Amino acid sequence: MSLAKTQSVAEIKARNKELIEEVLKVYPEKTAKRRAKHLNVHEAGKSDCGVKSNLKSVPGVMTIRGCAYAGSKGVVWGPIKDMIHISHGPVGCGQYSWAARRNYYIGTTGIDTFVTMQFTSDFQEKDIVFGGDKKLAKIMDEIQELFPLNNGITVQSECPIGLIGDDIEAVSKQKSKEYEGKTIVPVRCEGFRGVSQSLGHHIANDAIRDWVFDKIPADAAPRFEPSPYDVAIIGDYNIGGDAWSSRILLEEMGLRVIAQWSGDGSLAELEATPKAKLNVLHCYRSMNYISRHMEEKYGIPWCEYNFFGPSKIAESLRKIASFFDDKIKEGAERVIAKYQPLMDAVIAKYRPRLEGKTVMLFVGGLRPRHVIGAYEDLGMEVVGTGYEFGHNDDYQRTAQHYVKDGTLIYDDVTGYEFEKFVEKVQPDLVGSGIKEKYVFQKMGVPFRQMHSWDYSGPYHGYDGFAIFARDMDMAINSPIWNKAKAPWKAAPKATLIAAE
Amino acid sequence: MTQNAEHVLDHFELFRGPEYQQMLANKKKMFENPRDPAEVERIREWAKTPEYREKNFAREALTVNPAKACQPLGAVFAAVGFEGTIPFVHGSQGCVAYYRSHLSRHFKEPSSCVSSSMTEDAAVFGGLNNMIDGLANTHAMYKPKMIAVSTTCMAEVIGDDLNAFIKTAKEKGSVPEEYDVPFAHTPAFVGSHVTGYDNALKGILEHFWDGKAGTAPKLERQPSEKINFIGGFDGYTVGNTREIKRIFELMGIDYTILADNSDVFDTPTDGEFRMYDGGTTLEDAANAIHAKATISMQQYSTEKTLPFVANHGQEVVAFNHPVGVSATDDFIMALSRISGKEIPEALSVERGRLVDAMADSSAHIHGKKFAIYGDPDLCLGLAAFLLELGAEPTHVLATNGNKAWAEQVQAVFDSSPFGQNCHVYPGKDLWHMRSLLFTEPVDFLIGNTYGKYLERDTGTPLIRIGFPIFDRHHHHRYPVWGYQGGMNVLVRILDKIFDEIDRNTNVPAKTDFSFDIIR
């Protein structure tokens, strides 16, 4: 059992505060001052976690953050399956983001579906010198010829585009006209914009507003007969099929999902969304902007939900149902009851193996808080958490609904801080990304990638929770962790043991 | 409900259940505005035709599924090959997240690298302050022995001058005056990751040999008997570098591996995270100027480094990712000639064993057609090996290959009767390859993980050799160079051939007369 469980909250708080002081000592003074604002120990009852967020990363530290391009192409636009997304600029960005987020979809790739492909303008020096607009126009012609069943094109700007002053908006407009009104969306998501991928989400949302929604005449009829139960899933990227294991629950309770954003999504679904009666928002951070816009412009209410773990799922189903009539409310109860035996069985099987285990998280925009309930359903405790690119409203939600007194909070954690924190706190599990995974496994600490579900999943919904529970068990209770120290080596240092 | 606690179904099986299939069908029909299935089928068939191939090859601006990455990745890969060295990428931070992820996904290892995190203000005013603060932070936090700086496209477009910036940063006390901060400009819009490897390595050697950016006297070459070895950008660096070291040791040659990143991408799990492990010592990097010769295993990874080394008075010898008997012979004989050392019997025996293995198995490969893609040197090495096995490397494609490379590949074709109907495709991408596989089918495809889409679309079985390999584990631990490496490549090809034969003959009472137990 880890140390955290043997200490009182006061002791844990004192230790965490000391830890923060300790890591700050290594930095030059100016940097220590900056980083101090991002580290804290949560005090119960406070309205947020007491850390600054959404500020520039410090140069020269190993930040885990990405960039605006990653937020737009990698997260929001990339999964829209029937459009072709051009990584506009040099070859690298598209190459590294190529199919890496496991946004599952159904479709004939290369013919009517394009998610797991890499389209790039592969900028050369001459494009930097003379500008890339002509090349972009030609690329669009070539796309039209070679991929005639594409339903639209987006231009995802990489760093040089904004710097050399290319007019991708003009090219997009002109080509759209030429192709009889085809949806062509320029997205100004150059990687140097903003402080993380977060601004890329916002820019991508604004592009949907300006180049998809605003193109639709207000009186245009939807492609389907509207119903009072039409909802849209917003902010689920269908990692390992998450949106599918969520959608099935909404449909089982009697709602009709008219659009999925953006995992397994299509342009038609984006266009249909303003006809929804309610937008249900999973990843608040990446898609609250467009949800707010639809509320203001079309009067569509939105509500956040959390489909990790049975407690939060049931709470969320009831919350979503509260926007509808009794038929849906009953539907929610029916769904909760239907899956209760499965949840009981999953918990009966895995909770005894996981009870009391501690977790430290560091993930993107919603998971640092949303998965806490799922861990608690398994009897586990999250003892440290933080966001790569969260904003203050994320930390408010975290403080008010998720974390316990004394939890260690680290915003935009640096590699150095994270290593030190884990070494000292000795959690039984760390949940973070590929860049962190092997660092902690080398230390003998079980790890799960909580961006990609370590190539497993789905984790959302009731079906997903069974997989989540199994995966956490297999990570923590893998026999391999007993082998990290050679038997002939002296007794291992206490700080390096993850679990008994 | 198909899910159950006793046998948890994950994505492989879960979504095949009837309720999910029904849900997905409804979604498509009602909300996706799908294309007419007949039209999808028509275009799918059309995309396999010679007519489509012609249009596809007429492309001038669009690149689809390129088999190359950008310069800074290569720079990071080279930099971590030096003792205690952290790569510092000057530019936007998102790039570094990508390099680290890419390397970690291939090696299943940590990948350490920092960024100067330039944002809008740096775009306007330049990134000098980011460099000053960044170097200070990196130095304080990670206590590296050396910080190797390279750039992203952003820093290059705004024209940041690394030499001046590093000087200024030192004046401001970011790092001590005498501290080693070699640098290289590595714009992403020039060349590819192999270019970045080349530039970074040259930058590091230049730093040590040519007076540390004006802060020390240039080194005087005092010829020694040592031999330098450069692997180049190589996804098999863990297995390959160790194999090469073994060969050097067998031959009794005094050597220096330059950019030896074999250990940092293969650290043990023993309770400790090693940010730095192994690597060429900084002393060895400096002393490499005195060596008798420098051998590059990949000419296109060292196009600038080798002339730089030659200009300092050494002999340089370049190979093209040698795989197989003759290519390894050439390498070993060059080692022997340069060092004056005898080729030990042990290597002759190893050679004989590879020949033995090829003799035992080549009947299964003889006459088979292969398509190969990857980095220029890798393609050359594999094409030569296939010809040696009596196979036909029918399509050889490198997105980062140029005209000179194409001529070199053609010369390899011309050296063998099996190369007669083979063609080389410089500067083309994997969507071009798709057309080639449909219109001029081959028996097997050799390339990296991205080739699995080609395997699915065209039915051409994929043999995974190259970088990156994301979806198979631990290949990088096994060498592909040397006679033993040749053996590994041979086995990998044969395994796929036999798997395919079994797959094609396993229907009971129908095809299984050839489902042989002995091959």
Side-chain angles (χ1 to χ4, degrees), chain A residues 31 56 118 138 264 442 463, chain B residues 20 27 60 121 137 267:
Chain A
T31 304
K56 274 194 271 189
Q118 213 282 71
K138 197 167 189 179
D264 194 38
K442 302 288 178 188
D463 285 343
Chain B
Y20 278 104
K27 173 181 185 289
E60 288 176 345
D121 54 346
N137 287 326
T267 62

Side-chain angles (χ1 to χ4, degrees), chain A residues 249 252-253 317 330-339 462:
Chain A
L249 302 180
E252 281 184 347
M253 69 192 266
L317 290 175
E330 283 156 25
E333 295 307 322
R334 190 180 65 244
V335 169
I336 294 164
K338 174 187 165 187
Y339 286 94
Y462 290 116

Side-chain angles (χ1 to χ4, degrees), chain A residues 26-28 30-31 56-63 65-67 69-70 81 90-92 95-100 102 104 108-112 116-120 122-125 128 135 138-139 142-143 145-151 159-160 163 192-195 223-224 240-241 244-245 247-248 251 256-258 260 264 266 268-269 338-339 342 345-346 349 415-416 419 434-435 438-439 441-443 455-458 463 466-467 470 484-485 496, chain B residues 1 3-6 8-11 14-15 19-20 23-24 27 30-33 35 39-40 43-44 46-47 52 55-56 58-70 73 86 88 92-94 96-102 104-105 108-121 123 130 133-134 136-138 140-143 153-154 157-158 188-191 266-273 275 430-431 434 450 453 456-457:
Chain A
V26 75
Y27 294 112
K30 185 172 148 194
T31 304
K56 274 194 271 189
S57 298
V58 180
V61 308
M62 222 168 325
T63 175
R65 283 174 166 179
C67 64
Y69 164 88
K81 62 184 179 179
V91 68
Q95 201 71 4
Y96 309 127
S97 59
W98 187 356
R102 302 177 64 236
Y104 286 180
T108 307
T109 302
I111 306 300
D112 66 351
T116 49
M117 295 175 72
Q118 213 282 71
F119 293 86
T120 175
D122 189 10
F123 257 41
Q124 303 296 307
E125 206 154 13
I128 301 291
K135 188 175 194 179
K138 197 167 189 179
I139 283 171
E142 290 175 354
I143 285 175
E145 176 144 40
L146 290 168
F147 305 96
L149 299 188
N150 80 78
N151 276 336
C159 284
L163 298 170
F192 61 81
R193 292 189 197 277
V195 303
R223 287 196 181 87
F224 48 85
W244 294 334
S245 57
R247 182 186 185 105
I248 204 163
E251 294 191 346
R256 196 170 75 154
V257 180
I258 62 166
Q260 239 175 266
D264 194 38
S266 55
E269 288 167 78
K338 174 187 165 187
Y339 286 94
L342 172 66
V346 167
K349 181 171 176 182
Y416 174 83
E419 285 149 41
I434 183 71
K435 305 190 292 300
Y438 301 105
V439 169
Q441 289 195 171
K442 302 288 178 188
M443 291 162 66
Y455 325 114
S456 177
D463 285 343
I467 304 170
R470 179 202 62 183
K485 273 284 166 195
L496 296 174
Chain B
M1 178 178 12
Q3 186 64 285
N4 70 85
E6 280 319 300
V8 174
L9 303 175
D10 51 27
H11 54 89
L14 182 66
F15 301 121
E19 69 273 41
Y20 278 104
M23 181 185 85
L24 293 171
K27 173 181 185 289
M30 296 183 67
F31 305 110
E32 289 181 7
N33 190 26
R35 298 285 184 167
E39 182 66 357
V40 172
I43 297 294
R44 205 167 77 90
W46 171 64
Y52 186 89
K55 284 182 192 295
N56 192 10
R59 258 193 285 145
E60 288 176 345
L62 172 67
T63 298
V64 186
N65 298 350
K68 67 171 181 181
C70 67
L73 176 78
I86 194 159
F88 180 112
S92 333
Q93 75 200 9
V96 166
Y98 277 144
Y99 314 141
R100 294 179 63 209
S101 299
H102 214 60
S104 285
R105 285 176 178 139
K108 321 295 178 202
E109 289 288 322
S111 171
S112 302
C113 176
V114 295
S115 161
S116 60
S117 290
M118 285 164 65
T119 55
E120 284 106 329
D121 54 346
N130 298 65
D133 290 350
N137 287 326
T138 304
M141 216 187 329
Y142 297 111
K143 304 187 172 45
C153 51
M154 178 198 183
V157 170
I158 66 174
F189 45 80
V190 175
D266 193 25
T267 62
T269 287
D270 60 358
E272 189 192 338
F273 162 55
M275 180 179 275
L430 299 186
W431 198 254
R434 188 175 185 271
Y450 294 122
Y453 299 119
R456 178 188 59 191
D457 290 354

Side-chain angles (χ1 to χ4, degrees), chain A residues 15-27 416 420-421 423-424:
Chain A
R15 179 206 60 188
N16 286 349
K17 280 183 182 147
E18 210 174 287
L19 247 177
I20 291 170
E21 289 307 313
E22 203 184 313
V23 299
L24 289 172
K25 274 187 199 142
V26 75
Y27 294 112
Y416 174 83
K420 287 289 163 218
F421 289 157
E423 196 181 299
K424 295 288 162 64

Side-chain angles (χ1 to χ4, degrees), chain B residues 369 387 392-395 410 413 416-425 440:
Chain B
K369 289 177 192 289
L387 290 172
E392 295 176 25
T394 307
H395 313 301
Q410 189 57 50
F413 293 156
S416 160
F418 295 94
Q420 268 187 14
N421 297 311
C422 300
H423 292 96
V424 58
Y425 300 93
E440 291 178 73

Side-chain angles (χ1 to χ4, degrees), chain B residues 79 373 445 477:
Chain B
Y373 69 88
L445 171 66
R477 298 177 192 274

